[in-house]
Amino acid sequence: MIAVAIIILVGSCGASLTSDNSTPEESAPIVLTGDEIIVTMGEYESQLYAPEDISVNAGDTVVWDNKSGLHNVVFGKVPEGVDAEAISRKTLAREPGPAHSVKFEVPGEYRYHCSPHLELGMVGTVTVQ
């Protein structure tokens, strides 16, 4: 039974690998200036964002830094007028390092998750003041 669950989990991760919603901005390396707020993905091989919930000011940039594993950042709930798909990174980060960044301009609550690890509780919230 455990082997079947592992095959299903690996199969579902592989299905996400074929979905490519990358934009030219995603393929460019992210250069950190020291002014960004960093959220780690998969630190210590966990299936979590750390910190899970953050508060930032309008105009701040958040960078998701992949520590281990295959992770993405998919926004679900966003403030009215914000394009959730445009600020999401649906392709999986495969390599360690800065994987995605968003400059938050519109105040409100932004909820996001990692597609392959949603059922494991890999979710996060950015509250913009």
Side-chain angles (χ1 to χ4, degrees):
M1 190 63 142
I2 293 174
V4 172
I6 292 171
I7 291 170
I8 290 170
L9 179 60
V10 170
S12 68
C13 288
S16 296
L17 288 172
T18 60
S19 174
D20 186 7
N21 289 340
S22 62
T23 62
E25 294 81 26
E26 285 181 348
S27 60
I30 296 171
V31 178
L32 299 177
T33 66
D35 293 327
E36 302 86 2
I37 294 97
I38 305 295
V39 174
T40 61
M41 302 186 295
E43 192 162 17
Y44 307 112
E45 298 185 20
S46 70
Q47 308 307 323
L48 300 171
Y49 297 108
E52 184 176 309
D53 301 310
I54 61 172
S55 292
V56 302
N57 294 314
D60 285 346
T61 298
V62 176
V63 174
W64 285 266
D65 187 21
N66 191 31
K67 296 296 185 183
S68 67
L70 301 172
H71 305 290
N72 61 10
V73 179
V74 180
F75 286 88
K77 180 185 181 287
V78 296
E80 188 174 328
V82 175
D83 183 352
E85 189 154 329
I87 64 171
S88 294
R89 177 195 167 122
K90 291 187 177 181
T91 56
L92 295 174
R94 296 182 176 110
E95 301 295 324
H100 187 55
S101 69
V102 175
K103 183 174 184 177
F104 290 93
E105 300 288 351
V106 178
E109 185 176 85
Y110 297 72
R111 292 186 187 172
Y112 62 94
H113 65 274
C114 176
S115 296
H117 303 117
L118 177 59
E119 291 185 24
L120 298 174
M122 192 167 182
V123 298
T125 304
V126 176
T127 303
V128 180
Q129 304 296 325

